[in-house]
Amino acid sequence: MDSLDATKLTQALEEQSEWEKAVIFNQNAEVIASNSKFVATGEELNAYLTAYNSRDDTIGKGFTLMGDHYDVHRFHPPLVYGRRGGA
């Protein structure tokens, strides 16, 4: 398997104008690339590693990212997404 080019991935994320925060991380919750607005902890990213384990748990708990809570309102693997309350 080819190694990921973090510089190219970071550049691609920075060029993406539709997402405010973006990150690519591995199975150890280690950040490979992110845009400049993304600063999260490994602890926060760990929740994403188990998102597909249980639909009910994931929708019930939602996610926390950079201290903000996001409600999960769609669970359609390979996509799990939502939005922040009040948006």
Side-chain angles (χ1 to χ4, degrees):
M1 179 162 144
D2 295 331
S3 63
L4 298 174
D5 185 330
T7 302
K8 287 182 181 179
L9 291 170
T10 299
Q11 180 180 1
L13 292 177
E14 289 291 351
E15 291 172 359
Q16 175 53 254
S17 63
E18 293 185 22
W19 306 324
E20 183 176 337
K21 302 170 199 145
V23 63
I24 298 169
F25 57 95
N26 65 17
Q27 69 274 12
N28 298 317
E30 298 167 337
V31 174
I32 296 168
S34 66
N35 67 4
S36 59
K37 294 184 179 185
F38 184 86
V39 182
T41 67
E43 183 179 328
E44 288 178 322
L45 295 177
N46 276 323
Y48 290 87
L49 298 176
T50 60
Y52 296 110
N53 292 354
S54 168
R55 178 188 187 280
D56 290 339
D57 287 348
T58 299
I59 289 179
K61 292 179 185 175
F63 293 116
T64 299
L65 187 62
M66 295 174 50
D68 292 323
H69 181 78
Y70 292 83
D71 294 320
V72 173
H73 62 277
R74 294 289 185 263
F75 188 94
H76 302 285
L79 298 175
V80 175
Y81 59 94
R83 64 176 165 244
R84 202 166 56 147

